Amino acid sequence: MKSAIALLALFAVATAQVGHSIEHECPVFWTRFQGNCYRFFGAATTWDNAEAHCQEFFIHSAQGHLVSIHSDAESDFVHQLWQGSLIKTSQVTSTYNRATQNAGDSYLTGLNDKTTEGTFAWSDGTENDYTVWLPNQPSNSGNEDCVDMLDNTVDGTGWNDIPCAWDTDLPYFCKIKATANTGALAALLQSIGGGQAI
Ligand SMILES: [Ca+2]
Ligand SMILES: [Ca+2]
């Protein structure tokens, strides 16, 4: 324990002296924001299928889940990523039509009240500490236990609880914790003369 504390102290000093910091990395096709990685999936599906797909991704011991949102900054970041990922209807050449299938103006989040009606929780287990519900939502109209982010000129921008297996499948965001850049750590230790593997 003492050696671990000593190493942490050494690293803190070294970081300050050399002016480096540990970077966090995301896999290819994932975009980092603060300590997490995000990825948009445009193939619309049900909430359960989307969550299962997100859980197939791992970075070391971290497992992916549908996106959780904890601040205006994070919400804005995901929103920008979403807008940058959307295909305009005019560019869709298949019979799949995002506009008529309502998939162009919303995406699934990990928020749900599947376990206890009215008690919402994130599928990644993080704290429920931020909300951006649309007016009069959550409504649980006809049993709605999953939550999407909606953005259109009629409803506005915010969350709405919807059926988990809707008649309209939706695209979704996955989120996973970024991994520390161990290469940067090794280079830093080398630069201060402590090139031993840890
Ligand atoms: Ca509900
Ligand atoms: Ca609703």
Side-chain angles (χ1 to χ4, degrees):
M1 185 65 182
K2 276 185 179 174
S3 61
I5 293 171
L7 181 62
L8 280 175
L10 170 66
F11 181 66
V13 170
T15 300
Q17 286 179 345
V18 186
H20 291 178
S21 62
I22 293 183
E23 294 291 331
H24 286 81
E25 290 184 336
C26 291
V28 177
F29 303 128
W30 294 70
T31 305
R32 183 172 67 84
F33 176 73
Q34 296 176 347
N36 293 287
C37 308
Y38 303 77
R39 184 171 170 183
F40 176 72
F41 290 92
T45 187
T46 63
W47 190 94
D48 282 352
N49 285 343
E51 173 63 21
H53 185 219
C54 292
Q55 288 185 17
E56 292 176 6
F57 294 94
F58 289 87
I59 302 177
H60 297 294
S61 60
Q63 185 175 23
H65 290 278
L66 277 168
V67 69
S68 63
I69 304 289
H70 299 281
S71 66
D72 282 341
E74 187 174 22
S75 185
D76 290 348
F77 165 78
V78 174
H79 200 87
Q80 286 183 9
L81 201 57
W82 179 41
Q83 292 300 308
S85 304
L86 288 174
I87 301 170
K88 290 185 173 61
T89 306
S90 61
Q91 297 172 332
V92 176
T93 54
S94 74
T95 54
Y96 177 74
N97 187 320
R98 287 172 189 274
T100 58
Q101 296 195 16
N102 201 29
D105 67 355
S106 60
Y107 65 82
L108 292 170
T109 75
L111 196 60
N112 69 91
D113 69 338
K114 289 157 70 94
T115 302
T116 306
E117 176 55 41
T119 301
F120 285 87
W122 295 108
S123 59
D124 65 6
T126 51
E127 191 178 351
N128 187 355
D129 54 3
Y130 173 82
T131 60
V132 60
W133 292 109
L134 283 168
N136 305 316
Q137 302 298 340
S139 59
N140 198 45
S141 175
N143 193 27
E144 300 176 314
D145 293 343
C146 292
V147 176
D148 72 346
M149 164 58 92
L150 190 58
D151 179 32
N152 63 44
T153 54
V154 176
D155 301 294
T157 303
W159 299 344
N160 176 29
D161 58 341
I162 58 172
C164 295
W166 211 10
D167 54 356
T168 303
D169 291 341
L170 293 178
Y172 52 99
F173 271 93
C174 297
K175 174 182 176 181
I176 192 168
K177 271 194 184 308
T179 182
N181 182 344
T182 51
L185 176 59
L188 178 59
L189 287 171
Q190 190 105 30
S191 72
I192 60 172
Q196 298 296 316
I198 57 171

